Amino acid sequence: MTMTNVFDPLEWVPASGHQLRLAGVHFDAVRIEGVRGEVAASRMIEATDGDAGPVVCEVTGYRWMYFLLAPGEVRRQQWPLGVQRFGARGDRSVTYIGIPALDGNTWPLRWYSEPTPTAPFVDAGLLVRVVRNAVSARRVSP
């Protein structure tokens, strides 16, 4: 079943393909590179019984994972090193994030976890804990 059958997409999700959206307006974003981002996304999905909220994955290059948070959330958290934050009010930079449609050809982006009525955004506090735990676990592993 596709998400379009469950609820009307959020206004910032395009109807087809993918489009750039300004971070800090409809959502804040946290970007984590490669395997570290995939591990964080998988752990978020597991911790939320499959309802982690919107996570966008680049399918080429560095394979960045973009975790989309409610507007204003990126500034409320203390993020570990290696986590890039976008959307904080008062930043001098402007960042656009690619957002794929819920259905169809969205290459080179795809949803790793889609927004849902119960999780329209990723829980920022849970994401911080998941990323910190992943870093700690990696340090003690041989």
Side-chain angles (χ1 to χ4, degrees):
M1 178 192 293
T2 63
M3 291 304 301
T4 53
N5 295 333
V6 177
F7 75 105
D8 289 334
L10 300 171
E11 66 181 50
W12 45 267
V13 177
S16 63
H18 60 273
Q19 294 182 351
L20 296 176
R21 300 288 190 235
L22 182 61
V25 175
H26 301 292
F27 54 80
D28 284 355
V30 168
R31 181 170 84 168
I32 304 173
E33 184 179 2
V35 173
R36 185 177 180 206
E38 289 177 24
V39 168
S42 294
R43 290 182 180 174
M44 289 290 295
I45 290 168
E46 182 180 324
T48 59
D49 292 325
D51 200 19
V55 180
V56 174
C57 175
E58 288 182 353
V59 297
T60 61
Y62 292 110
R63 298 187 57 86
W64 293 104
M65 300 293 276
Y66 293 85
F67 299 82
L68 306 183
L69 316 173
E73 282 297 310
V74 79
R75 290 187 71 146
R76 293 188 180 104
Q77 305 296 325
Q78 294 295 318
W79 297 96
L81 291 175
V83 173
Q84 297 178 335
R85 303 170 306 274
F86 305 106
R89 298 275 182 211
D91 280 354
R92 293 182 182 192
S93 63
V94 173
T95 304
Y96 288 87
I97 307 295
I99 303 297
L102 295 174
D103 293 309
N105 182 5
T106 62
W107 189 90
L109 303 172
R110 71 174 179 86
W111 288 105
Y112 198 89
S113 174
E114 296 179 350
T116 66
T118 54
F121 299 104
V122 169
D123 180 317
L126 178 59
L127 179 58
V128 168
R129 290 190 299 278
V130 163
V131 173
R132 282 194 180 133
N133 289 341
V135 169
S136 298
R138 206 167 68 214
R139 286 185 184 146
V140 295
S141 298

